[in-house]
Amino acid sequence: MTTTAPRPLPARTADPHGILELTRDLCAYPASVVGEADEALFARIAREVPLAIHRFPSGAEHLGWRVPELGRVRRARIMRDGEVVLDGAEHPLVVAMGSRSFTGELDLEDLRPHLVADPARPGAYVFHCQWQYRPWQADWALSIPHERYRALRPGRYRVELEIDHEPGEMLVGVAHHEGDDPRTFVFNSHTCHPGQANDGMSGVATLIRLFQH
């Protein structure tokens, strides 16, 4: 799964309900299943619609899946000859979800298996999220646009990946509207894919506007 850098918004006339504008606003929060930005994101959504927040602690099990821990990235970068090749601060998808810490020097051939890139989308970052579902397999990985991946030269690279793991909470927001029909209709989207509009936040923005309507 990949995402590219944000493109300029179309003219306001192309977005009469403000869905694109709201999506861009929501994407500014690098939220995750359990993330530091989650509280601020849900507070932002609650400015649009009345929201009840349900909290599920790390380790809580639901249908065989367990809520992951909070991973707080302290440092994430790759360096060569003192120059930064990749910095985790440049995009919320650089550090693979559930990644473990690693610090050391590697030859390029040993580094490559830990880099995630998509040749079909050379300027995009890949969303590496499999360790959120298979935490027992967790290693470390960093996402880098393929155009930069293929430009890496043989040699020694220093990796500094420092991540703290601690218990946290998964937040689920529910907005309820009482209608005339006695049945319950559920409209659902997710907020756990950071830095991505079409897979997540555009759905949230659309549901907000639907609920307001």
Side-chain angles (χ1 to χ4, degrees), residues 11-208:
R12 177 65 183 178
T13 53
D15 187 24
H17 303 292
I19 292 177
L20 292 176
E21 182 179 356
L22 181 56
T23 299
R24 173 66 63 88
D25 197 9
L26 297 177
C27 282
Y29 299 88
S32 187
V33 176
V34 179
E36 293 183 276
D38 294 358
E39 293 280 0
L41 171 64
F42 279 86
R44 173 65 184 86
I45 296 173
R47 285 162 46 191
E48 302 288 336
V49 295
L51 209 61
I53 304 297
H54 301 269
R55 299 172 180 272
F56 301 88
S58 296
E61 185 172 328
H62 301 273
L63 299 177
W65 175 80
R66 292 184 179 180
V67 177
E69 292 183 313
L70 169 66
R72 181 177 286 110
V73 179
R74 297 295 186 186
R75 181 189 297 266
R77 64 183 183 180
I78 299 175
M79 304 181 68
R80 178 190 165 96
D81 299 330
E83 295 185 2
V84 177
V85 175
L86 180 69
D87 192 326
E90 67 189 56
H91 196 280
L93 295 185
V94 170
V95 179
M97 297 294 163
S99 191
R100 300 303 170 184
S101 297
F102 174 83
T103 298
E105 292 193 1
L106 298 170
D107 287 324
L108 179 58
E109 292 310 307
D110 294 323
L111 174 63
R112 285 191 187 278
H114 295 278
L115 300 180
V116 185
D118 184 358
R121 297 173 177 83
Y125 297 84
V126 175
F127 183 37
H128 186 299
C129 59
Q130 69 182 35
W131 295 331
Q132 289 188 328
Y133 305 96
R134 302 174 184 177
W136 57 89
Q137 295 180 344
D139 194 355
W140 66 272
L142 297 170
S143 177
I144 182 173
H146 191 265
E147 59 192 10
R148 289 161 60 185
Y149 172 85
R150 66 189 179 197
L152 296 175
R153 295 175 289 114
R156 298 287 288 177
Y157 290 81
R158 178 168 179 79
V159 178
E160 298 177 352
L161 181 57
E162 301 173 12
I163 306 173
D164 295 334
H165 293 274
E166 60 188 64
E169 292 180 318
M170 178 179 68
L171 306 186
V172 176
V174 178
H176 180 73
H177 174 71
E178 189 74 28
D180 297 330
D181 197 306
R183 295 173 296 176
T184 297
F185 299 87
V186 177
F187 298 87
N188 179 69
S189 188
H190 60 78
T191 60
C192 57
H193 290 191
Q196 299 168 82
N198 286 345
D199 194 349
M201 292 305 181
S202 62
V204 176
T206 301
L207 292 187
I208 287 173

